[in-house]
Amino acid sequence: MTQVHGNAATNAAAPGDRTGLGRLVGAGLILAGLVALALGAYLGPYTYATSTPGKLTVQTCTVEYKYRSSSSSSGSRKKTRTRWCYGTFTSTDGTVKDLNAELKSDALYTRGHVIEARRTSDTSYMQDHGWTRAIAVGCAWGFGALIALAVGLFCAVTGFPYGQGESRRLFRTTLVTAAVGVLGLVISLLVVFFT
């Protein structure tokens, strides 16, 4: 009879250990969501607002190819193509002039072409696609974070997938929130792509 009580106690502790694992996973997802929110704010609106607007007068543009092996098949190699333009950057207010500026470009431009650009650091430049794209980048990260936060909160509260008594209302709320996150993410990425 003593052994039966010992086994019952051991079996009763096992689901609690699994629930703790589910809550730990939830805490990790919440942390990932908060990091994604911070990255979205930094890579989107913050970087755009703190960069210096200006124009890059193109001297030359080149294409850089990189090859990577594809994991799906052993014989195929995936080729990525990046366009770079080099020239002189002059800020709109005339305070910054860099004769050796380079930026990743959306097209190959001829010598003398003027590209709207932004200086993000002493040696880093990006094409100026406007506030709409900067906000859309931030929103894409934010909606991705919303998905991670919703699922993480659900796991942290219930211990899912190991918890026994998940609340149906919390589950429905999590599904709706995650669906809003997916929809917002898709729309934000479309805005980024088309601007």
Side-chain angles (χ1 to χ4, degrees):
M1 193 168 222
T2 305
Q3 290 179 346
V4 173
H5 289 294
N7 288 342
T10 304
N11 291 339
D17 291 342
R18 286 194 212 132
T19 302
L21 179 62
R23 289 192 168 108
L24 185 62
V25 168
L29 285 171
I30 290 170
L31 181 62
L34 293 174
V35 168
L37 275 176
L39 276 172
Y42 178 76
L43 295 174
Y46 177 80
T47 298
Y48 190 83
T50 58
S51 61
T52 305
K55 297 182 186 306
L56 183 131
T57 304
V58 174
Q59 293 298 321
T60 185
C61 288
T62 61
V63 179
E64 178 182 288
Y65 293 97
K66 288 187 181 177
Y67 295 92
R68 291 182 294 159
S69 295
S70 177
S71 60
S72 59
S73 63
S74 60
S76 68
R77 291 172 36 154
K78 187 173 183 179
K79 177 172 67 171
T80 58
R81 181 175 70 173
T82 307
R83 297 179 206 98
W84 291 94
C85 286
Y86 307 90
T88 303
F89 174 82
T90 307
S91 64
T92 304
D93 61 8
T95 58
V96 177
K97 187 166 188 171
D98 183 355
L99 300 176
N100 298 313
E102 65 178 48
L103 61 78
K104 207 184 288 189
S105 170
D106 58 3
L108 292 176
Y109 296 103
T110 58
R111 183 183 183 114
H113 186 87
V114 177
I115 302 172
E116 295 290 328
R118 296 189 80 85
R119 185 180 193 191
T120 56
S121 71
D122 287 342
T123 58
S124 181
Y125 298 88
M126 67 179 191
Q127 277 193 269
D128 188 351
H129 294 285
W131 271 106
T132 303
R133 185 172 185 166
I135 291 170
V137 167
C139 287
W141 281 91
F143 282 116
L146 181 65
I147 298 166
L149 289 170
V151 174
L153 186 62
F154 179 75
C155 290
V157 169
T158 64
F160 183 80
Y162 304 109
Q164 297 296 321
E166 300 95 70
S167 166
R168 287 180 186 250
R169 185 181 303 177
L170 182 59
F171 183 71
R172 276 186 256 139
T173 303
T174 301
L175 282 179
V176 169
T177 306
V180 167
V182 169
L183 181 63
L185 178 63
V186 168
I187 291 171
S188 298
L189 290 175
L190 287 172
V191 171
V192 168
F193 184 74
F194 288 111
T195 56

